[in-house]
Amino acid sequence: LINMYGKCRRMQDACRVFQDMTARDVFSWSSMISAYALGGYGDEALRLFQEMEQEGVMPNRVTFVNMLNACFGPEALSLGKLVHALIVGKKVESEAGVAK
């Protein structure tokens, strides 16, 4: 549901569904990060990623791909470098070579 609202650019609805969840797993966190990235809210995606880690939820490959999608435009270069460093630091394996 979060993913659908995000793809439709209905951020308030995506946020409402996410906030109303009693238990969040890596998939719900990744879906909300993706919604922010699709909506052009890279800073919010990063904030949510940091909150996810503080909650003890370990990011997966999809989470990192969604974070990279949040890095658009020249102003996001520092965010892209940060995400890349996280990928390398966490030794994320990828068939696509994301960590290289």
Side-chain angles (χ1 to χ4, degrees), residues 1-8 10 13-14 16-18 31 35:
L1 198 55
I2 295 168
N3 194 26
M4 184 219 33
Y5 282 135
K7 287 180 179 178
C8 294
R10 293 178 56 179
D13 292 321
R16 179 184 43 79
V17 170
F18 183 76
S31 293

Side-chain angles (χ1 to χ4, degrees), residues 9-85:
R9 306 292 196 269
R10 293 178 56 179
M11 292 306 300
Q12 287 182 336
D13 292 321
C15 288
R16 179 184 43 79
V17 170
F18 183 76
Q19 294 299 324
D20 288 347
M21 295 180 78
T22 56
R24 299 179 189 137
D25 60 13
V26 67
F27 303 107
S28 54
W29 286 94
S30 295
S31 293
M32 194 63 225
I33 289 169
S34 175
Y36 279 131
L38 287 170
Y41 301 100
D43 290 340
E44 285 299 309
L46 177 60
R47 181 197 59 76
L48 195 64
F49 177 83
Q50 291 169 332
E51 185 180 330
M52 179 183 87
E53 287 198 311
Q54 289 171 355
E55 293 284 324
V57 178
M58 295 299 298
N60 62 16
R61 293 177 189 162
V62 173
T63 311
F64 284 113
V65 169
N66 291 336
M67 282 302 301
L68 287 172
N69 286 333
C71 304
F72 51 88
E75 67 279 358
L77 181 60
S78 60
L79 176 58
K81 288 180 179 182
L82 173 67
V83 172
H84 182 262

